[in-house]
Amino acid sequence: ATYRLDLPQELRARGIHNAFHASLLRPHYPNDDRRFPGRQFHQLPGFGEQPREWAVDRVISHVGKGVDAEFEVQWTTGDVTWAPYSDIQHLQVLAEYFEALGVNTIRQL
């Protein structure tokens, strides 16, 4: 059997299909925000009528060298993710991270 869902335009724009085979359906279990913070619907960027923006609290570490480096970023929500240099090159926290390492530019990493 195939089930069809009425999906919001936002999800269809992201390439999510509205038809699923019954074998792919699973029960829904609500998120436990105490165990997995920052995953409530309103906290996910790009969803909802007025998407919220989250600020970067600090850069924790990095891997790689130069413009190919990836940075471990802690957000003000407490979440920690990895971001490429191109996504955070304009942030003040990156300049502070460079200062803590004693480098002036990305080329010195």
Side-chain angles (χ1 to χ4, degrees), residues 40-86:
Q40 296 295 327
F41 185 76
H42 69 276
Q43 294 171 319
L44 298 174
F47 285 104
E49 292 295 320
Q50 297 175 338
R52 297 180 182 179
E53 293 185 11
W54 301 103
V56 174
D57 189 38
R58 66 189 179 116
V59 175
I60 299 171
S61 66
H62 74 279
V63 294
K65 295 185 178 210
V67 295
D68 296 326
E70 295 257 332
F71 295 87
E72 189 176 17
V73 175
Q74 181 172 3
W75 299 87
T76 55
T77 60
D79 293 331
V80 176
T81 60
W82 287 90
Y85 171 70
S86 60

Side-chain angles (χ1 to χ4, degrees), residues 5 7 10 14 51-52 78 80 84 95 97 103:
L5 304 174
L7 293 178
E10 296 165 336
R14 292 175 184 255
R52 297 180 182 179
V80 176
Y97 181 72
V103 300

